[in-house]
Amino acid sequence: MILKNFIVLEGIDGAGTSTQLNLLKNRLSPEKTVYTAEPTTLSTGRFLRSVLRGDEKLTPETTAFLFAADRQEHVYGTGGIVESCTSGKLVISDRYVFSSLAYQSITCGEELPRKLNQDFPLPEYLFFFRITPQASLKRIEKRDVTEIYEKKDFLEATARQYEKIISYYETLQTGMHIIRLDATESIEKLSEKIWTVLQEMPILQG
């Protein structure tokens, strides 16, 4: 199922999705747009952030279940994605099911993440930020805090998995618009490319 007015930004760590999400805040009406991210700011998401920092040690399977639980509330909970989209708002999320399919499949295999995420609605637009692990690591190294997934071997495996997942969805012809972006381009150029696509959405017309 495609959820209208729902946009997702995806890519490995350091791809620049958060930067572009923040830039969109300067272009879109705050009354009509919801900006969000996964893990969420809910209690489930806050706990997941501690897991990603390495503060909590969990099995890969438990982590996959937690991401799905956080997503369930994010999508269907009060004030969540579905409620916002159906009320006429545009929702833009930094990460969604595609992150779980890419990251969690490396640590616990493809079957569990696929089962946990198969029933979530797909976004109307998916922007996939492509970047090499080497380039992403250069950006990550400038941060004060790194996460457990931000290692060369893991990012290389995740990048390959992302390519596999995006290509798979492209063959399904679900109606989801998939836009591949070169994340090594300048921030300004990427911003303009995203904005050019979004301006065609009916919700932003007039």
Side-chain angles (χ1 to χ4, degrees), residues 93-111:
S93 181
D94 181 0
R95 299 192 179 281
Y96 188 52
V97 297
F98 314 97
S99 286
S100 283
L101 295 176
Y103 282 85
Q104 269 71 67
S105 67
I106 305 301
T107 54
C108 62
E110 296 181 6
E111 184 177 356

Side-chain angles (χ1 to χ4, degrees), residues 19-61:
T19 297
Q20 293 301 325
L21 182 79
N22 288 326
L23 287 174
L24 285 171
K25 293 179 182 179
N26 299 323
R27 291 185 130 159
L28 296 167
S29 167
E31 291 80 21
K32 297 181 180 179
T33 312
V34 175
Y35 304 95
T36 187
E38 292 188 353
T40 67
T41 56
L42 301 168
S43 56
T44 47
R46 293 196 300 273
F47 182 72
L48 275 169
R49 294 285 181 190
S50 70
V51 173
L52 293 175
R53 290 193 302 270
D55 298 339
E56 302 285 345
K57 306 297 183 182
L58 303 177
T59 67
E61 292 77 13

Side-chain angles (χ1 to χ4, degrees), residues 73-206:
E73 281 303 305
H74 193 204
V75 174
Y76 296 110
T78 302
I81 293 171
V82 168
E83 182 179 312
S84 296
C85 287
T86 53
S87 68
K89 291 186 177 181
L90 183 67
V91 177
I92 306 174
S93 181
D94 181 0
R95 299 192 179 281
Y96 188 52
V97 297
F98 314 97
S99 286
S100 283
L101 295 176
Y103 282 85
Q104 269 71 67
S105 67
I106 305 301
T107 54
C108 62
E110 296 181 6
E111 184 177 356
L112 181 59
R114 184 170 60 247
K115 284 184 176 180
L116 292 174
N117 292 281
Q118 63 186 358
D119 294 329
F120 288 112
L122 295 173
E124 186 175 3
Y125 285 85
L126 167 60
F127 290 90
F128 175 46
F129 291 60
R130 302 179 70 197
I131 189 171
T132 65
Q134 292 79 9
S136 72
L137 282 169
K138 286 183 179 179
R139 296 178 178 182
I140 291 168
E141 288 168 356
K142 297 176 182 178
R143 300 176 183 172
D144 294 330
V145 178
T146 58
E147 296 181 344
I148 59 173
Y149 295 146
E150 295 174 344
K151 296 177 176 64
K152 183 175 182 290
D153 290 347
F154 193 93
L155 286 178
E156 287 175 345
T158 306
R160 290 192 296 270
Q161 198 66 17
Y162 256 124
E163 290 289 346
K164 178 180 176 180
I165 291 161
I166 300 302
S167 296
Y168 169 73
Y169 276 103
E170 286 174 332
T171 66
L172 289 183
Q173 298 181 339
T174 59
M176 174 174 60
H177 301 282
I178 300 175
I179 299 93
R180 291 173 176 259
L181 299 169
D182 180 357
T184 63
E185 291 186 328
S186 70
I187 291 173
E188 295 76 16
K189 192 170 184 177
L190 282 172
S191 178
E192 287 305 317
K193 286 186 175 181
I194 294 169
W195 184 239
T196 297
V197 174
L198 296 189
Q199 285 184 102
E200 300 301 316
M201 296 182 69
I203 193 173
L204 296 179
Q205 299 295 312

